Amino acid sequence: MTESEHEMVSGARFDDVGLPGAAFHDVNLAEALFEDVNLSNARFDDVNLSGARFDNVNLSGATIRGARLVDVSLDGDIRGLRVWGVDVVPLIDAELNRRQPGREKMRPTDANGYREAWALLERLWPETIARARALPPELLHESVDGEWSFIETLRHLVFATDAWVLRTVLGEQSPWDPLDLPHDEMHDTPPVPRDRTVRPSLDEVLVLRADRMGKVRAIIAELTDERLAERTTPVAEPGYPASDSYLVDDCLSCILGEEWEHRQYAERDLAVLETS
């Protein structure tokens, strides 16, 4: 074992390091930052990950044995998660549906189901907006636990609609507004804007939201089961998502999920801001 393997590298950052098959023994990597790192098929044996934070990680096919999972928070695209051999995702899904009435409607299987789901979203969002308006405007730019601020959440929903409805379903080559805010995990993709420094007012962002929600409303109002099964025509201009053909059902399902989940996040964070 080399002397370097015993080194204290607390707080280190690793960039552009290629060490496939490397072994680390008795190394203190506390508070290290691993960013855009490939750890596929890596093995972790007797490793202390207490207090670690994992954002945008791919754990597909991971096996965790003998773990001490105490006070752990987990969210994301979770499918086929087995705890002691039991797939717990259906159990969690049922509990979330119980806690969040209407959530079960966000996975429609036909056009009428989409209309019902969208009508519910349009009833719920004004309640959340009214709750936000009751706060001092500056708090709507505040992050809670490192998450997007309320304004940033609305900006992201404008982006999601521009990407999956205007660009993909309607075929607009470049639907972007300067206030669009892509998800943090997305690499910069010109001409898609990404400006984290601007601080638009709530009313400015709500104008965009009203326009985008109106366009989704119009599509869903005329939606048929046959249209859901159709594929979109790829756009020529670069952007996000990639210029490809997508099922209309998948595009609209994405929007329902974005609208529902981000409203839940917003409600959660507004509750914190109300006590500040």
Side-chain angles (χ1 to χ4, degrees):
M1 188 177 299
T2 67
E3 180 179 349
S4 62
E5 286 179 315
H6 287 286
E7 287 182 351
M8 301 284 289
V9 287
S10 176
R13 177 181 179 129
F14 298 87
D15 295 301
D16 300 322
V17 176
L19 297 171
F24 298 90
H25 302 280
D26 299 324
V27 179
N28 185 347
L29 296 175
E31 300 181 18
L33 172 64
F34 297 91
E35 191 171 77
D36 196 17
V37 174
N38 184 358
L39 292 172
S40 58
N41 299 313
R43 177 171 175 173
F44 300 88
D45 191 356
D46 195 18
V47 174
N48 184 356
L49 293 171
S50 58
R53 176 163 180 157
F54 300 86
D55 291 311
N56 191 34
V57 294
N58 184 353
L59 293 171
S60 301
T63 298
I64 303 174
R65 297 192 180 103
R68 290 188 294 276
L69 288 172
V70 181
D71 296 328
V72 174
S73 176
L74 178 64
D75 64 65
D77 180 11
I78 303 172
R79 289 171 284 174
L81 173 62
R82 290 172 176 80
V83 179
W84 293 312
V86 178
D87 186 352
V88 300
V89 174
L91 306 176
I92 296 170
D93 199 46
E95 175 62 13
L96 288 174
N97 288 344
R98 186 189 69 81
R99 294 185 182 190
Q100 304 171 15
R103 179 178 179 271
E104 72 284 354
K105 298 181 185 299
M106 297 301 123
R107 298 172 184 171
T109 58
D110 57 25
N112 285 332
Y114 270 98
R115 281 184 275 276
E116 186 178 2
W118 189 255
L120 176 60
L121 288 167
E122 295 223 65
R123 289 197 301 270
L124 291 174
W125 264 110
E127 299 173 7
T128 304
I129 298 301
R131 192 174 178 183
R133 283 195 184 280
L135 291 171
E138 62 271 14
L139 286 184
L140 302 184
H141 293 281
E142 290 293 321
S143 169
V144 175
D145 194 27
E147 301 290 347
W148 278 335
S149 69
F150 186 76
I151 296 291
E152 287 172 331
T153 295
L154 297 184
R155 290 176 57 198
H156 175 70
L157 289 173
V158 172
F159 159 77
T161 308
D162 286 351
W164 290 105
V165 177
L166 274 65
R167 173 177 166 85
T168 309
V169 176
L170 296 181
E172 294 188 21
Q173 299 290 336
S174 187
W176 321 111
D177 186 273
L179 290 180
D180 277 15
L181 185 60
H183 43 289
D184 291 340
E185 300 82 11
M186 184 180 122
H187 295 296
D188 287 340
T189 308
V192 183
R194 186 204 302 273
D195 190 345
R196 294 295 296 269
T197 65
V198 295
R199 291 171 66 89
S201 69
L202 177 60
D203 286 333
E204 286 180 85
V205 180
L206 288 179
V207 169
L208 291 175
R209 281 283 286 156
D211 175 77
R212 300 316 194 265
M213 293 185 81
K215 290 180 178 178
V216 177
R217 185 188 312 121
I219 290 174
I220 290 180
E222 302 297 326
L223 193 62
T224 63
D225 294 347
E226 292 74 21
R227 176 59 173 151
L228 280 174
E230 292 177 3
R231 301 194 70 88
T232 64
T233 301
V235 297
E237 293 296 319
Y240 179 90
S243 298
D244 205 343
S245 178
Y246 301 89
L247 274 174
V248 172
D249 192 6
D250 289 343
C251 298
L252 297 180
S253 177
C254 175
I255 290 301
L256 291 187
E258 289 281 307
E259 291 283 347
W260 181 268
E261 295 300 335
H262 282 288
R263 180 181 172 274
Q264 295 297 321
Y265 302 150
E267 290 278 330
R268 175 200 63 196
D269 293 346
L270 287 172
V272 175
L273 293 172
E274 287 167 347
T275 64
S276 62

